[in-house]
Amino acid sequence: MTQTDTMPIPDQVLEAAARIAAHAHITPILQARSIDTETGTALHFKAEHLQRVGAFKFRGACNAVFALSDAEAAGGVVTHSSGNHGAALALAAQLRGIPCHVVVPDGAVPAKLASIQRYGATLHHCAPTIAAREAGCAQVQADTGATAIHPYTHPQVIAGQGTAALELLSARPELDALVVPLGGGGLAAGTALAIQALQRDCALYLAEPVGAADGARSFAGGVLDHEFVPDTVCDGLRGSLGAINFELLRTTDARVLTVDDAATLSAQRMLLACMKQLVEPSSAIALAAVLGNQALFAGRRVGVVLTGGNVDFTALADLLRE
Amino acid sequence: MTQTDTMPIPDQVLEAAARIAAHAHITPILQARSIDTETGTALHFKAEHLQRVGAFKFRGACNAVFALSDAEAAGGVVTHSSGNHGAALALAAQLRGIPCHVVVPDGAVPAKLASIQRYGATLHHCAPTIAAREAGCAQVQADTGATAIHPYTHPQVIAGQGTAALELLSARPELDALVVPLGGGGLAAGTALAIQALQRDCALYLAEPVGAADGARSFAGGVLDHEFVPDTVCDGLRGSLGAINFELLRTTDARVLTVDDAATLSAQRMLLACMKQLVEPSSAIALAAVLGNQALFAGRRVGVVLTGGNVDFTALADLLRE
């Protein structure tokens, strides 16, 4: 997508919180005695799967849409995510009363497309390649004057995603660590900014699938690694870490914890059995990172962002039978 | 079980709230825009599936256990529920530091027995008949001096169950109707008392399975009907309406709405898909009653008690494949 990615600053998270306040839910913070006992930690789950459209993605999309000038907004917005960001952008555009275009690759899940259309967005089909998706977006931009809102490198998206941690840290000032999933890095970078905005001495851990560990390799090597083929059940974390996100995160003490899919699915089951909460694997990975690193988290007060709950029921049925 | 069932009064719900405050969760109240839009109502879900042991049953059990005198408590407590009440009583007894005995019929679900044992209760196995269960309880009482805590006719259990509605109506004074499931009638009777205690002009609807509609028949005929064989997926609502519960409810304007199992399972799916909440069929039936009576509830502000979330994953997997 054609856009200029300027580095967001901590104050933009505070501005985002004010900007989205009329539209986004202040999601509850859940706790589970049984999981605390098992892990030896005090876990505070920020329930973003109860956010509008069922994912934290609404925060960033909403902030980006409402940060547009009236002139920009008149042309509408465009993106090429067929997942939660697409639905989130569609709803945000609907709330502002502007057009939304979503470029979707052939073969995308029909249920997700229906969700995007329910919020009034126009779908544009393309071949299932990155090049075709980028070209589709460029074409929509040329035809309509729409502004591209990238799912995780747009600075206002990053700032908006940071509002989840801002709410969590404001409600639970005693937290000494946060754990969030790492995919493209929008939530991770936004969370780092939120910690800075509040000037908290709070460690940040990023849970990343072993099968899409470009983030871990990038931080270890000091160079962005985006030559990899993702192989993970965490469909929300298959994208490669964004350049701006990498630059922002490498200046912090954020640490990547890699998690294999079996541990993630086990955590997803635990959230359903012990907390009655349905979350995506891309979300359960954060709890799995805690469960897999008990010595690291023992005795600490840890915030965990449950990022989304849009789960395909057939896949869930398979999980429950295991 | 041998006990004297005196009719509880509204003030006992207020006393129960104070008695259990140190032990029970104040559960969240959830809303779902998508379901409100579909039903044309404003629904406020009291999330008792997030209560300790995963069900509202902890409220009544906790109130009954902590209402015992020290002398009574020393002998411990006994019941013959192998479901949520058994686990709830076990935890309540553990919190007070007294023995708990649970008489369980052969063939009871191993996962539920494990849950009861996890809270330190002693299991006593018996044949799977009501007579054997009653005899088992009487034997434990004779042997140990334990006090019987019936799952839904014990007056302190009824008063304790009423605290869920008390919290809901206190937090949402604008509600003009409540919907709760009807099985043995502990929650229903307690909810009626809570409405009276707060002197609210709030209608009460009782959602009952078509396959266990002894309540509907009893209210229609004016005589308690307990000659029936339950046939419903709502395993928590198969018991017959208690005599004291019937007497208490028939003096109110409470109205029974019968619901078939297909509608209940559809509501259970909806709660998972739209609200990411895992609840038992015995709990989803309350939403199903709203969905099946839209003209009745349209334009109203309705409280719905989500009573429990202890779901067998194999059964859930079957549901998701339908």
Side-chain angles (χ1 to χ4, degrees), chain B residues 220-240:
Chain B
V223 179
L224 193 59
D225 167 16
H226 45 77
E227 292 300 319
F228 75 106
V229 178
D231 177 17
T232 173
V233 70
C234 301
D235 58 345
L237 307 178
R238 289 178 190 146
S240 53

mmCIF file of all heavy atoms in Angstrom, chain B residues 220-240:
data_model
loop_
_atom_site.group_PDB
_atom_site.id
_atom_site.type_symbol
_atom_site.label_atom_id
_atom_site.label_comp_id
_atom_site.label_asym_id
_atom_site.label_seq_id
_atom_site.Cartn_x
_atom_site.Cartn_y
_atom_site.Cartn_z
ATOM 1 N N ALA B 220 -49.795 -23.987 35.771
ATOM 2 C CA ALA B 220 -51.067 -24.010 35.045
ATOM 3 C C ALA B 220 -52.136 -24.747 35.848
ATOM 4 O O ALA B 220 -53.302 -24.326 35.913
ATOM 5 C CB ALA B 220 -50.882 -24.666 33.676
ATOM 6 N N GLY B 221 -51.738 -25.843 36.472
ATOM 7 C CA GLY B 221 -52.711 -26.675 37.186
ATOM 8 C C GLY B 221 -52.908 -26.284 38.639
ATOM 9 O O GLY B 221 -53.866 -26.730 39.280
ATOM 10 N N GLY B 222 -51.992 -25.486 39.176
ATOM 11 C CA GLY B 222 -52.098 -25.086 40.566
ATOM 12 C C GLY B 222 -51.657 -26.168 41.543
ATOM 13 O O GLY B 222 -51.784 -26.010 42.759
ATOM 14 N N VAL B 223 -51.137 -27.246 41.021
ATOM 15 C CA VAL B 223 -50.684 -28.370 41.850
ATOM 16 C C VAL B 223 -49.302 -28.801 41.358
ATOM 17 O O VAL B 223 -49.066 -28.871 40.146
ATOM 18 C CB VAL B 223 -51.655 -29.571 41.743
ATOM 19 C CG1 VAL B 223 -51.152 -30.738 42.606
ATOM 20 C CG2 VAL B 223 -53.054 -29.161 42.133
ATOM 21 N N LEU B 224 -48.430 -29.086 42.298
ATOM 22 C CA LEU B 224 -47.073 -29.472 41.917
ATOM 23 C C LEU B 224 -47.075 -30.802 41.162
ATOM 24 O O LEU B 224 -47.578 -31.812 41.657
ATOM 25 C CB LEU B 224 -46.215 -29.576 43.187
ATOM 26 C CG LEU B 224 -44.706 -29.668 42.979
ATOM 27 C CD1 LEU B 224 -44.172 -28.457 42.234
ATOM 28 C CD2 LEU B 224 -44.011 -29.809 44.329
ATOM 29 N N ASP B 225 -46.517 -30.790 39.972
ATOM 30 C CA ASP B 225 -46.419 -31.996 39.138
ATOM 31 C C ASP B 225 -44.993 -32.518 39.222
ATOM 32 O O ASP B 225 -44.067 -31.870 38.731
ATOM 33 C CB ASP B 225 -46.773 -31.632 37.690
ATOM 34 C CG ASP B 225 -46.401 -32.747 36.705
ATOM 35 O OD1 ASP B 225 -46.169 -33.891 37.144
ATOM 36 O OD2 ASP B 225 -46.339 -32.453 35.495
ATOM 37 N N HIS B 226 -44.804 -33.639 39.898
ATOM 38 C CA HIS B 226 -43.449 -34.183 39.876
ATOM 39 C C HIS B 226 -43.401 -35.610 39.368
ATOM 40 O O HIS B 226 -42.452 -36.336 39.615
ATOM 41 C CB HIS B 226 -42.752 -34.028 41.221
ATOM 42 C CG HIS B 226 -43.582 -34.392 42.392
ATOM 43 N ND1 HIS B 226 -43.819 -35.677 42.746
ATOM 44 C CD2 HIS B 226 -44.236 -33.616 43.286
ATOM 45 C CE1 HIS B 226 -44.578 -35.678 43.844
ATOM 46 N NE2 HIS B 226 -44.861 -34.445 44.182
ATOM 47 N N GLU B 227 -44.407 -35.976 38.590
ATOM 48 C CA GLU B 227 -44.395 -37.294 37.960
ATOM 49 C C GLU B 227 -44.033 -37.117 36.497
ATOM 50 O O GLU B 227 -44.907 -37.030 35.638
ATOM 51 C CB GLU B 227 -45.784 -37.939 38.075
ATOM 52 C CG GLU B 227 -46.183 -38.302 39.478
ATOM 53 C CD GLU B 227 -45.225 -39.297 40.128
ATOM 54 O OE1 GLU B 227 -44.790 -40.249 39.445
ATOM 55 O OE2 GLU B 227 -44.891 -39.104 41.312
ATOM 56 N N PHE B 228 -42.774 -36.990 36.205
ATOM 57 C CA PHE B 228 -42.391 -36.844 34.797
ATOM 58 C C PHE B 228 -40.979 -37.367 34.617
ATOM 59 O O PHE B 228 -40.199 -37.437 35.560
ATOM 60 C CB PHE B 228 -42.482 -35.376 34.354
ATOM 61 C CG PHE B 228 -41.352 -34.524 34.872
ATOM 62 C CD1 PHE B 228 -40.335 -34.104 34.037
ATOM 63 C CD2 PHE B 228 -41.311 -34.140 36.205
ATOM 64 C CE1 PHE B 228 -39.293 -33.336 34.523
ATOM 65 C CE2 PHE B 228 -40.278 -33.369 36.695
ATOM 66 C CZ PHE B 228 -39.273 -32.967 35.844
ATOM 67 N N VAL B 229 -40.682 -37.762 33.377
ATOM 68 C CA VAL B 229 -39.340 -38.226 33.034
ATOM 69 C C VAL B 229 -38.694 -37.157 32.156
ATOM 70 O O VAL B 229 -39.150 -36.926 31.039
ATOM 71 C CB VAL B 229 -39.397 -39.578 32.285
ATOM 72 C CG1 VAL B 229 -37.983 -40.017 31.899
ATOM 73 C CG2 VAL B 229 -40.081 -40.630 33.144
ATOM 74 N N PRO B 230 -37.683 -36.469 32.672
ATOM 75 C CA PRO B 230 -37.095 -35.374 31.890
ATOM 76 C C PRO B 230 -36.422 -35.876 30.619
ATOM 77 O O PRO B 230 -35.805 -36.940 30.612
ATOM 78 C CB PRO B 230 -36.073 -34.764 32.856
ATOM 79 C CG PRO B 230 -35.768 -35.837 33.847
ATOM 80 C CD PRO B 230 -37.007 -36.661 33.972
ATOM 81 N N ASP B 231 -36.570 -35.099 29.563
ATOM 82 C CA ASP B 231 -35.928 -35.418 28.292
ATOM 83 C C ASP B 231 -35.453 -34.097 27.682
ATOM 84 O O ASP B 231 -36.165 -33.466 26.904
ATOM 85 C CB ASP B 231 -36.929 -36.125 27.362
ATOM 86 C CG ASP B 231 -36.311 -36.408 25.994
ATOM 87 O OD1 ASP B 231 -35.069 -36.367 25.880
ATOM 88 O OD2 ASP B 231 -37.079 -36.642 25.043
ATOM 89 N N THR B 232 -34.259 -33.690 28.081
ATOM 90 C CA THR B 232 -33.726 -32.410 27.606
ATOM 91 C C THR B 232 -32.209 -32.419 27.679
ATOM 92 O O THR B 232 -31.616 -33.104 28.534
ATOM 93 C CB THR B 232 -34.264 -31.228 28.450
ATOM 94 O OG1 THR B 232 -33.583 -30.030 28.043
ATOM 95 C CG2 THR B 232 -34.018 -31.445 29.940
ATOM 96 N N VAL B 233 -31.589 -31.639 26.801
ATOM 97 C CA VAL B 233 -30.143 -31.484 26.805
ATOM 98 C C VAL B 233 -29.691 -30.608 27.981
ATOM 99 O O VAL B 233 -28.511 -30.590 28.330
ATOM 100 C CB VAL B 233 -29.691 -30.881 25.447
ATOM 101 C CG1 VAL B 233 -30.144 -29.420 25.330
ATOM 102 C CG2 VAL B 233 -28.202 -30.998 25.245
ATOM 103 N N CYS B 234 -30.633 -29.926 28.609
ATOM 104 C CA CYS B 234 -30.308 -29.045 29.742
ATOM 105 C C CYS B 234 -30.159 -29.864 31.013
ATOM 106 O O CYS B 234 -31.104 -29.993 31.802
ATOM 107 C CB CYS B 234 -31.398 -27.989 29.920
ATOM 108 S SG CYS B 234 -31.652 -26.959 28.474
ATOM 109 N N ASP B 235 -28.966 -30.397 31.228
ATOM 110 C CA ASP B 235 -28.805 -31.343 32.337
ATOM 111 C C ASP B 235 -28.962 -30.686 33.703
ATOM 112 O O ASP B 235 -29.272 -31.362 34.677
ATOM 113 C CB ASP B 235 -27.477 -32.106 32.239
ATOM 114 C CG ASP B 235 -26.276 -31.182 32.230
ATOM 115 O OD1 ASP B 235 -26.453 -29.972 32.013
ATOM 116 O OD2 ASP B 235 -25.153 -31.661 32.452
ATOM 117 N N GLY B 236 -28.792 -29.387 33.763
ATOM 118 C CA GLY B 236 -28.975 -28.704 35.037
ATOM 119 C C GLY B 236 -30.427 -28.426 35.378
ATOM 120 O O GLY B 236 -30.730 -27.949 36.481
ATOM 121 N N LEU B 237 -31.337 -28.703 34.451
ATOM 122 C CA LEU B 237 -32.753 -28.351 34.650
ATOM 123 C C LEU B 237 -33.656 -29.581 34.643
ATOM 124 O O LEU B 237 -34.866 -29.478 34.449
ATOM 125 C CB LEU B 237 -33.208 -27.368 33.560
ATOM 126 C CG LEU B 237 -32.347 -26.111 33.384
ATOM 127 C CD1 LEU B 237 -32.870 -25.238 32.251
ATOM 128 C CD2 LEU B 237 -32.275 -25.312 34.682
ATOM 129 N N ARG B 238 -33.049 -30.757 34.870
ATOM 130 C CA ARG B 238 -33.840 -31.991 34.816
ATOM 131 C C ARG B 238 -34.549 -32.288 36.124
ATOM 132 O O ARG B 238 -35.494 -33.074 36.159
ATOM 133 C CB ARG B 238 -32.937 -33.172 34.431
ATOM 134 C CG ARG B 238 -32.497 -33.122 32.982
ATOM 135 C CD ARG B 238 -31.559 -34.279 32.629
ATOM 136 N NE ARG B 238 -30.963 -34.071 31.313
ATOM 137 C CZ ARG B 238 -29.733 -34.445 30.964
ATOM 138 N NH1 ARG B 238 -28.950 -35.058 31.849
ATOM 139 N NH2 ARG B 238 -29.281 -34.215 29.758
ATOM 140 N N GLY B 239 -34.087 -31.682 37.219
ATOM 141 C CA GLY B 239 -34.728 -31.927 38.513
ATOM 142 C C GLY B 239 -36.148 -31.387 38.534
ATOM 143 O O GLY B 239 -36.505 -30.505 37.743
ATOM 144 N N SER B 240 -36.954 -31.911 39.447
ATOM 145 C CA SER B 240 -38.346 -31.431 39.499
ATOM 146 C C SER B 240 -38.449 -30.231 40.437
ATOM 147 O O SER B 240 -37.733 -30.125 41.437
ATOM 148 C CB SER B 240 -39.275 -32.556 39.952
ATOM 149 O OG SER B 240 -38.812 -33.109 41.153
#
